[in-house]
Amino acid sequence: MSRRIFVSHTLPGEGFRHLGEHCEFEVWPGPGLIGPAALREAASGCRGLICLLTDRIDAGFIESMRQLEFVSSMSVGVDHVDVAALTARGIPLGHTPGVLVETTADTAFALMLAAARRVAEADAFVRAGRWSPQQAWAPEFFVGTDVGGATLGLVGLGEIGQAVARRAQGFGMRVLAWNRTPREVPGVEMVDLDELLGLSDFVSLHVALTADTHHLLNAARIARMKPGAIVVNTARGGVLDEAALAAALADGRLAAAGIDVYEREPVDADNPLLMAPNVVLAPHIGSATLKTRARMADMAVANALAALAGQRMPHCANPGVYRD
Ligand code: DGY
């Protein structure tokens, strides 16, 4: 039986360096990311696949991969994978929960501070040479919103939401949260979603993208938010209606936003958020530290090696495939 596996991108970390000691593998040489057609061709006939969140592992791809025995994604989110189609074939899907929690929470907090205190706008202002003697300092010059002491609403109180809550407590914030299944977390008040939206100065999104959470923060819910509130999204772009958020920013109902993830990535040139005022944008860097990316890659490799050895993946997104 073929032991060949396909890796859709070179990976950081120790595990990838030693992968060749355990199996035969091919890796996409680049440059850049592999596209869907090239992935289908290159991965054809392989027994396993290590992929990134940019690879579309849809039903058609899965159907075409008749020898596929496992998929291991270097991501915690698995919305790029048709999990039901894999599960129907009994194929385990590995992912990387846990290791990116603190790093992603840092990113959410960085965006919250940057959006509230207009850091990106201020940086551009200084670099453009617009900081003139006429505009050296004035009572209303670059005023923003206080983070310390404000109310933070967490939409989703999983591990990342809880890590953001811990940071917020250090800033003396009142922390509210809504979660599909209520959780008891010290210092966090569980409320319903509408109440959270009406009370929060900052709303930070921490839910996985599923059919139920698609456009969870839509125009109707944005209209229920506290005027002057700030939205932060480090979850998935599809969780919010980007056009509705851009409209609320343009008409001044919301003060600002910090956005790391988009409905389509890389972001389209005509994405309304690019034109909206007071938005700090980042290119999906939530987990982007050297240490965290290496740990994610090592987990993805460990999941693949377990599957190759006929063992249970240590971090499986569809554990129902294991019958024991
Ligand atoms: C993930 O792993 O799903 C994250 O979005 C990566 O930053």
Side-chain angles (χ1 to χ4, degrees):
M1 185 190 290
S2 156
R3 285 183 67 77
R4 187 176 81 90
I5 72 169
F6 184 72
V7 188
S8 73
H9 201 278
T10 51
L11 302 179
E14 274 295 297
F16 181 63
R17 278 201 266 146
H18 296 284
L19 189 58
E21 295 162 22
H22 304 277
C23 64
E24 229 182 87
F25 75 96
E26 279 168 35
V27 59
W28 170 249
L33 298 172
I34 193 167
L39 177 64
R40 202 178 270 226
E41 193 183 324
S44 164
C46 76
R47 183 179 171 192
L49 173 67
I50 301 182
C51 66
L52 303 184
L53 55 77
T54 46
D55 300 317
R56 294 269 133 246
I57 311 300
D58 57 20
F61 174 83
I62 294 164
E63 173 60 28
S64 72
M65 301 278 293
R66 295 318 300 169
Q67 300 185 45
L68 192 65
E69 289 176 14
F70 69 86
V71 175
S72 173
S73 182
M74 185 190 142
S75 62
V76 63
V78 291
D79 48 287
H80 55 300
V81 180
D82 189 329
V83 184
L86 276 185
T87 307
R89 289 230 342 242
I91 299 174
L93 169 63
H95 71 146
T96 64
V99 291
L100 45 65
V101 167
E102 301 298 334
T103 307
T104 307
D106 283 349
T107 305
F109 227 84
L111 288 173
M112 194 157 95
L113 287 164
R117 299 302 306 278
R118 303 169 61 181
V119 174
E121 194 187 337
D123 177 275
F125 180 85
V126 174
R127 284 176 200 282
R130 291 170 55 205
W131 194 21
S132 62
Q134 290 73 37
Q135 287 212 77
W137 192 96
E140 291 183 353
F141 185 56
F142 268 101
V143 291
T145 303
D146 280 314
V147 173
T151 298
L152 169 64
L154 298 168
V155 177
L157 192 61
E159 286 190 276
I160 298 174
Q162 292 179 41
V164 175
R166 288 194 291 277
R167 284 155 179 74
Q169 284 154 3
F171 275 70
M173 299 179 92
R174 177 183 179 197
V175 185
L176 310 177
W178 170 83
N179 199 62
R180 202 159 39 104
T181 44
R183 296 212 150 120
E184 267 188 44
V185 174
V188 179
E189 300 165 49
M190 296 307 295
V191 291
D192 72 32
L193 188 52
D194 281 349
E195 195 179 352
L196 179 147
L197 295 173
L199 290 173
S200 299
D201 302 301
F202 295 85
V203 170
S204 191
L205 303 175
H206 300 287
V207 287
L209 177 61
T210 63
D212 290 342
T213 61
H214 183 253
H215 286 194
L216 182 70
L217 194 58
N218 56 17
R221 292 204 172 98
I222 288 172
R224 280 177 220 137
M225 287 178 66
K226 196 168 169 178
I230 291 176
V231 173
V232 172
N233 191 9
T234 53
R236 282 292 183 268
V239 169
L240 69 79
D241 179 339
E242 293 170 336
L245 175 61
L249 290 163
D251 70 18
R253 258 199 46 78
L254 296 185
I259 305 291
D260 185 45
V261 286
Y262 306 84
E263 189 134 26
R264 280 168 55 92
E265 296 180 2
V267 69
D268 292 324
D270 63 352
N271 184 306
L273 288 174
L274 265 58
M275 265 67 81
N278 308 335
V279 188
V280 181
L281 302 170
H284 202 148
I285 58 166
S287 62
T289 65
L290 279 174
K291 185 171 140 197
T292 294
R293 288 285 165 85
R295 292 175 75 191
M296 290 168 71
D298 283 348
M299 276 175 92
V301 170
N303 282 331
L305 292 183
L308 273 176
Q311 291 161 5
R312 207 182 167 103
M313 284 181 169
H315 299 282
C316 184
N318 57 347
V321 296
Y322 298 113
R323 283 195 195 88
D324 52 353

